[in-house]
Each structure stands twice: as structure tokens, then as C-alpha cells.
Amino acid sequence: MRLLTLCFRNLSRRKLRTLLCIIGVALATTFVIAVGATTMRYATVIKEMNVLFSGQVMVVSKDAIVIQAIPIGGGMLPQNSTVNKIKNITGLEKTVPILFVTPSIEVSGTLIPVPENFSMGVPVEDWRSIFGSTPLKGNVGHFPINESSNEAVIGPSLADQYRWSVGTKILINGYELEVVGILDTKLALLNRCVVMSLKLAQEIYNYRGSVNIITAKPVQGTTQKNLADAIENQISYVNALTEDERNDMIQPILVQVETWNLGLQTVVFAMSLILVMTVTLMSVSERRRDFATLDAIGASVSYVFRVVIVESTLIGVLGGVLGIFFGSLLALVLASLYTNISLAQFFPSIFEIVPPLYLIEIFAAIVSVSCIGGVVPALNAMRMRIAEVLRAEY
Amino acid sequence: MRMKTTDLTRIYRLGPSEITAVNKVNLEITEAMFMAIVGPSGSGKSTLLHLIGLNDYPTFGKICIDDADVSLLSSSEHRKIRLLRMGFVFQTFNLLPTLSALENVELPMALAGKSSKEQTEKALRLLEAVGLSNRLVHRPKELSMGEMQRVAIARALANDPEMIIADEPTGELDSKTAKEIIALLFEINRKKKAIVVVATHDEKIVDVADRIYLIEDGGLRLQS
Ligand SMILES: Nc1ncnc2c1ncn2[C@@H]1O[C@H](COP(=O)(O)OP(=O)(O)O)[C@@H](O)[C@H]1O
Ligand SMILES: [Mg+2]
């Protein structure tokens, strides 16, 4: 008679109660995974924003609302005058004006952290310096050729979703654009991006002569800090943000998200612990006679201990497996709801939304929690003595 | 196995009052003896059997097994003795409800670390000996009380004990079944040369015993 079989049978003796407890643990796990995966996704997207512009100072308007120096609202800069002023500053190697448009970032007044898509306008001659290392999918197509051509390069996730390919004509604000290439990238920022020439973007989105980001790359020997200070001294209406400053801006937000997440997890796991402990205590006290009999016929205390611990751990294992399944599903549904990208689209990349390592961590945590939840009941079971139990029954 | 008790006493303290459930019992149990302890309810039978079954500790007095004082042994050594050298039969059977008849009998052998092949073979033989070959996969709740007690007896025999301790084994059974159970215990005593100690309030049932003790208010005396 294997211990595991015995424990399974004991659990299935009280089917409803065991089931409810497993569902409770599964719900807790589902919640932790869905919330954790969603917040981690936001954090990743925010962190990734910096990758594209690494090594550069980013100049934005003082009244712009920025995340990682990506302006998500307000604050335009006059293109020519600002670029010219920056060009006069010593220590500058290259500067590129960019128009960054997030059309769907506000839905009925609420800010959504991960927009469905956005557009980027970049001067044609500066493509290389921004996307230099990003290839086009299958090496098909090309980057837009001149400023006034109605051509766009799109992110792979957008292409997949709408089944756009090279040659497809797309319509934005009444302008017809031809897709001339699909970016081969995993960056969240570029994945959902429509990139076109700066002039075209300004025209389509009605921002003639304005941009909202100007990148400034320092020459060798000049630090980002020095360049940024010089820019801010010369131009009163801008903020020049170095990479470090941009990271510092989001650090507190990320830390806070992390802390909330940890707090939630702790509370949810503590509740699971109490649930498992209560249920196991009940089932031990119902089976006082069984444990006392085991003691009387000479079972070791460790055997009795193991019977109870394995039972409570099994609840965690079953609840954990269910929770991982439903939690991953819920995380997908949430990601799909927040981005308006269909669920089917998200499925192939499920392990990017809920990283396997994270799932393993949560599973280990919930299994440990339910194992620990069995300790007090197991100690109780070890103390059952036949002389007292048989008497107490009457 | 030989067991000798000296002034064995068990006192329960309930607040200020004391109950002497077993009072200065001197008893010698020798090999292959069938022994009955008869007394009314509350006379101390169960308490005495828990003491000699090493399931409880005396307030005074001592128990020697083969001339060794068991109070000098650790509780895990007591467990070993209970597992390997004693077998217990309870009034309420105390089978594990989630195990089949066969598995209940295998359990003490599993606890003793026997191989599963050995467990099954032996359990089959024991269940056959108590007349239950056709009830192997039944759970306790699917058995009659008499059948449950037979399973319990088979379980008590699993590790070839030298002593079987049965506390009112017929208390829940009708008189016909009760006679059969006592006959079974008697047969075991004679065939396997195991000591059998039976406690009962019904003297008629144990007329087969080698020795009958009467217990009253915790005091034990020999009747025949
Ligand atoms: N755990 C206990 N606490 C207090 N008194 C007890 C306890 N167990 C037994 N007694 C008392 O000891 C006496 C003997 O009980 P018991 O050995 O169960 O008798 P029997 O088995 O002959 O009916 C009774 O008066 C009973 O009330
Ligand atoms: Mg009794």
C-alpha cells in the first residue's frame, strides 16, 4: 500500500471539501499568476523603451508627459529651430527629430499603459541611425525611400494581426500607405509600431513642423550628462534626458509595482495557508481514531506525520496545476483585453506573457505553502493516543 | 514472550478527584496462555489492557517483558514491540476505512518494511484462515461487523505477534458471531502458540480460557 495511494483515497473520502479547498488554492494561484504576469509585462514594455535609444540623450518638451522619455501626451517641439539649436552645441555627433504618435493611448479618458499601436515618423536619411540593427523580416522589402513617398514599415505583431504583408495598402486618417517591409524584432515598442517618414507622419497626424522627440548622440569623449546639461542650458523649453535619468524616472514606478505585487502575493499565499491548514485540521480531527489506531499498532510517528503532510501537499499540487492553467489563460485574456489584440494572436507567445520560470516559482511557492499548512495538523495527528481517543468517542 | 507486572497502578486525575482505574495489579503471563479478564463496565479492563499493550504508562508499578523493565525503553522501542510482537483487536474494530480488507491486513507488514509481495501473500493466507477469502477488496463499510472483526484479527496476526490483546472483541457482535470470534482466537492461541488476552464483561463467552481473572474497581483476582 503506497503512501500516495492512501492519501489520495483519504482526500477523495471527503470529495466536496477537498474539491472546494483545491478550488480555493487554484483561485489563489490563478490570481497571483494573472496579476504578476500582467504587471511584469508592463514593466518589461517600459524597460524596453530604452533599448531603442540607448547611448543617446533624448530631448523632449518641458510640458510633455513622458514614460522613459517616450512622450505620451502634450508638449510638441518646433522641429527646425530646435534641431538647429542642438546642432550648434559642441560635443554632438548626431541628432534626429522624431514624431511619436500614440493614437489609442487614451480610451474614454483612461490612460492605457500598453497602447494597441502607435506611429513613428523618422526622417528617411536617419533610418539607419535609429533602426540600424533591426532587419526586415525575410529580407523582403525596403525602408521608405524618400520623405514624400507614402510608404511604411510595420511591426511584426501588427502584421500578424491584420495579415498585412509587403505590398498591402493600409489607410490611416484618409491617407493610403503601402507596406514596404516588416520589422524583424521582439521589442514591444516596435512590435506594434507603424514607421514612416517624418514628413508623412507630420502630414497624416497634422503636426506640420513639429516633433516630440529629438535624439542627440554625444561624440566620443563627451558624456551623455555633459551633452544633456549643455542642451538644457542653451534651450530653455526642453528637458534633455540621459539614459540614466530615463531609467531613474521609471525606477520608483517599477519598485512600487514590484512591492504591491509582492504584498498581494504574500496575502494570497497566507490565505491559502490558512485554508489548507483549516481543512487539514478538520480532516485530522475527524480521523482521530484512524491515527490513534496507527499509533496503537505501532506505526512510527514519522509515518503518521507523512500521511498528513502528503495529503495537504497534494491539495497544493492539484490546486497549483489548475491555478497555473487558469492563471496563464487569464493573463492572456487580460493582455488581449488591454491591447485589443485577439486571443488567438497571443497564444503562440504565451510563454512571453507568463514566463515558465515564473510559473515554476509560483508553483513551488503554493506547494510549499500547502506543505507548511499540513505541519500543525500533522503534529496533532502524531499526538493521537488510542486510550484517549476511544474514550473520547462516547 | 513472558510478561510480569508488579503493583501496576494507573490513576486518572480529574481536577481535584482521583480515579484509580487499575490498582496494584500483579500478573504473570506466560507463553501460549489464553487469558480472560472479566469485569463490569468501568472496572478498569481497558485501562489494564492499554498498560500491558504499552499504549499507556502506569502511574506506579512496572511491567517486565522477558525480565526487562519496559519503562527503561524509549517510546519508539515501545512502538517496535507493539508493531512486531503484539497484535491488537478492538471492540470497535478500528479498521482504516479507506483501505480494503486485504490492504488493512497488509498495513502492519508495510509498516514493518516487508516487501509488497510478502505482504500480499501473507495477507491472503491470513484472510483465508479467518474465512474471508471472498471479501478481499471490500472496504470495511461493505462488511458485516463479524467480518470486520475477522479482518481485524487477521491484521493483528500480520507480523506473527507473540501476544494478542483483545479488548471486548465481541462487544458489538451478536452471541453467535461472538462465539465464532472467541473460537477463532482460541484456535490461534492453540495453533500459533500466541498469548491471547481477552477482556470482556460476559463471562460465558470465555469459558475456553486457561485462566479467568475478575477485575473490580481496578483490583484483579484470579477466578479459576
Ligand atoms: N482518560 C481517562 N480519564 C479519566 N478517567 C478515566 C479515563 N479512562 C478511564 N477512566 C476511568 O477509569 C475507570 C476504568 O475505565 P475503563 O478502563 O475504561 O473500564 P472498562 O474498560 O472496564 O469499562 C472508569 O471509572 C473510567 O471512568
Ligand atoms: Mg473498556
Side-chain angles (χ1 to χ4, degrees), chain A residues 119-135:
Chain A
S119 295
M120 232 161 115
V122 182
V124 164
E125 73 265 23
D126 294 321
W127 280 97
R128 290 256 150 252
S129 73
I130 302 292
F131 303 107
S133 54
T134 312

Side-chain angles (χ1 to χ4, degrees), chain A residues 299-361:
Chain A
S300 66
V301 278
S302 80
Y303 181 83
V304 173
F305 189 83
R306 272 179 290 150
V307 168
V308 180
I309 286 287
V310 170
E311 271 180 48
S312 77
T313 309
L314 271 177
I315 291 179
V317 169
L318 296 175
V321 167
L322 282 180
I324 280 182
F325 178 75
F326 287 111
S328 309
L329 211 63
L330 183 59
L332 274 187
V333 170
L334 286 178
S336 158
L337 282 180
Y338 281 136
T339 54
N340 273 334
I341 300 171
S342 78
L343 208 54
Q345 203 75 46
F346 263 119
F347 241 144
S349 53
I350 180 159
F351 287 125
E352 278 162 43
I353 291 176
V354 276
L357 197 66
Y358 180 65
L359 293 182
I360 292 170
E361 257 174 56

